[in-house]
Amino acid sequence: MSSPSPVLSAPAVGPARGDRATSGLTAPLLPPLRIGPHTVRTPVVLAPMAGVTNTAFRKLCREHGPGGLYVAEMVTSRAIVERNVEALRIVTFEEGESPRSAQVYGVDPATVAAAVKIIAGEDRADHVDLNFGCPVPKVTKKGGGAVLPWKRELFTRIVSAAVEAAAPFGVPVTVKMRKGIDDNHLTYLEAGLIAEQAGVAAVALHARTAADYYSGTADWSAIRQLKETVTTIPVLGNGDIWSAEDALEMVRQTGCDGVVVGRGCQGRPWIFADLAAAFNGSDVRMKPGLALVAETIYRHGELMADFFEDEDKGTRDLRKHMAWYLKGYAVGGDARRGLALVSSLTELRERLDALDLDQPYPGKDAEGQRGRQGTPKQPHVPYGWLDSRELSDEHRAKLLEAELSVSGG
């Protein structure tokens, strides 16, 4: 295998990876976030998460923090172009959602452009985000997601095509990406500059590589380096925002214009209230006892039943959220298992009411890591992918297989 072409990489800046001193919390209060023509009062974005950030969950988060930007689950450009029923359902928003944000994943410039034109031209969303951050093997092994920016010409063409397709409708396009494939194949600085020059409205960086997956500690110094490199549009930071204090510290260390919250809101939709308070200079935080958590779970169940128009399907989909909601609270194994098997709102109410609801907030035990974590792993990429920064005919054919599903995980 030949050596890869040189790629922009970030020198070490700021605190070393994992060194997160938080004394003082001197982060400046941030102004509202501007995404094209849209003003986001609280500079906080809900990251799209497959199977999580559906209409029901977005509404629940918005009820706690109405000033943020809440992005729908990712859809593939191919599914939109083929007018797949589920894909179109994902990019159908409730009245009152504003701005309406959709995330599109694609590997072919023409298909991405066509999908963006459908979304923007049919007034399905006010903002389109492009996914170049997915580390899931089923995506990366075909050249998509977090490994695609390695092919810089393809990345440039996709981003440019999306911006051009959205422009006539006044819909801004943003880019979400990772640092690169691994520490030896970093792409984020180059990709950030390409996206800026192509006319995107903002770039967001999950400060991990595809090889990191969700493990370890996010490298916030990379966000700082991107902010110093991309200077004319907002730069958003993503990775390890488990509390409002984490968000303030990220801003202090990196100078980013806003934060993107993913796993940190799983089972904790009230984090958006904390973030709104923090960015407005308040130290008031939500510290829910189990009774309030139970009411939030039930509210989530109601919203899920409405979203699916099926109480059984809605409460079944809610099951995966139970462990996140109950993290840190004294709830026995039998009660947890029962809640993880609910199939109706009546059953959900009964099981919640049977808990010891007098429990206070358990503090740090309810916070921190949740959801996927895993360990670093060698990224799955197409054979020969790292040999060149240019796209071969063989890899072009392989990429077409990367858009076969509606949502990429």
Side-chain angles (χ1 to χ4, degrees):
M1 179 180 294
S2 61
S3 299
S5 304
V7 60
L8 288 168
S9 59
V13 291
R17 183 181 175 113
D19 182 7
R20 297 275 173 80
T22 58
S23 60
L25 288 176
T26 56
L29 302 184
L30 292 183
L33 178 64
R34 295 286 299 180
I35 302 294
H38 308 298
T39 299
V40 182
R41 295 198 311 275
T42 303
V44 175
V45 179
L46 167 65
M49 292 176 281
V52 175
T53 59
N54 55 31
T55 298
F57 188 70
R58 295 197 308 275
K59 185 171 184 177
L60 187 65
C61 293
R62 195 183 297 273
E63 288 175 354
H64 287 277
L69 184 68
Y70 298 91
V71 188
E73 299 171 81
M74 183 182 84
V75 293
T76 69
S77 57
R78 177 172 171 173
I80 292 293
V81 171
E82 294 178 349
R83 308 195 77 85
N84 176 281
V85 173
E86 181 58 22
L88 293 177
R89 177 184 174 89
I90 288 174
V91 294
T92 299
F93 296 83
E94 281 196 343
E95 185 177 352
E97 286 196 70
S98 179
R100 300 164 298 167
S101 295
Q103 190 186 66
V104 172
Y105 160 81
V107 297
D108 174 67
T111 308
V112 171
V116 170
K117 186 175 181 180
I118 290 172
I119 292 171
E122 297 180 3
D123 191 28
R124 291 181 172 273
D126 305 305
H127 155 238
V128 173
D129 185 53
L130 300 179
N131 180 303
F132 297 102
C134 183
V136 175
K138 71 177 181 179
V139 171
T140 63
K141 71 181 181 181
K142 296 170 183 174
V147 307
L148 189 145
W150 181 252
K151 303 300 185 182
R152 54 188 159 209
E153 181 184 357
L154 177 63
F155 176 79
T156 302
R157 291 175 58 212
I158 290 173
V159 175
S160 298
V163 171
E164 184 177 348
F169 307 101
V171 172
V173 173
T174 59
V175 163
K176 187 170 186 287
M177 58 187 176
R178 286 194 173 222
K179 289 170 57 182
I181 298 174
D182 55 35
D183 287 338
N184 295 318
H185 303 89
L186 300 177
T187 54
Y188 68 104
L189 295 181
E190 181 181 58
L193 286 171
I194 289 170
E196 180 183 34
Q197 292 162 6
V200 305
V203 292
L205 178 66
H206 184 158
R208 288 180 169 88
T209 63
D212 292 330
Y213 210 66
Y214 294 95
S215 67
T217 303
D219 177 16
W220 288 358
S221 69
I223 300 169
R224 177 178 168 185
Q225 185 67 14
L226 183 64
K227 174 61 180 173
E228 292 172 350
T229 302
V230 174
T231 59
T232 65
I233 57 175
V235 171
L236 310 178
N238 179 215
D240 295 354
I241 301 293
W242 308 111
S243 68
E245 284 62 42
D246 291 334
L248 293 177
E249 184 63 15
M250 177 184 280
V251 173
R252 188 189 70 79
Q253 288 191 20
T254 70
C256 64
D257 301 288
V259 300
V260 180
V261 179
R263 294 172 297 149
C265 71
Q266 291 175 343
R268 299 181 70 233
W270 48 83
I271 194 175
F272 293 102
D274 287 350
L275 289 162
F279 282 121
N280 280 283
S282 170
D283 60 1
V284 173
R285 301 290 182 266
M286 289 279 291
K287 297 181 179 180
L290 188 56
L292 182 54
V293 172
E295 287 309 307
T296 304
I297 292 173
Y298 189 77
R299 172 62 175 157
H300 195 171
E302 290 180 317
L303 293 172
M304 293 284 258
D306 289 343
F307 171 65
F308 286 108
E309 298 180 336
D310 183 320
E311 187 173 313
D312 177 72
K313 188 173 182 179
T315 50
R316 286 175 180 272
D317 200 76
L318 179 67
R319 294 173 179 178
K320 62 174 170 281
H321 296 262
M322 292 301 181
W324 301 330
Y325 274 117
L326 299 176
K327 178 178 169 65
Y329 295 89
V331 177
D334 288 345
R336 288 175 181 268
R337 283 189 289 274
L339 284 165
L341 294 172
V342 293
S343 57
S344 72
L345 289 174
T346 298
E347 182 184 3
L348 177 62
R349 178 82 278 167
E350 290 173 351
R351 291 190 178 277
L352 290 172
D353 288 346
L355 300 177
D356 176 12
L357 297 177
D358 291 331
Q359 295 180 49
Y361 184 65
K364 292 295 184 182
D365 289 342
E367 300 170 6
Q369 289 273 4
R370 57 230 300 120
R372 296 176 292 185
Q373 184 176 5
T375 58
K377 58 193 72 178
Q378 183 67 31
H380 294 259
V381 298
Y383 180 78
W385 188 255
L386 301 181
D387 290 355
S388 169
R389 300 297 306 279
E390 308 309 319
L391 190 65
S392 68
D393 290 340
E394 179 183 357
H395 290 144
R396 195 181 309 277
K398 190 74 173 176
L399 279 167
L400 296 178
E401 302 175 14
E403 287 200 33
L404 295 180
S405 61
V406 173
S407 184

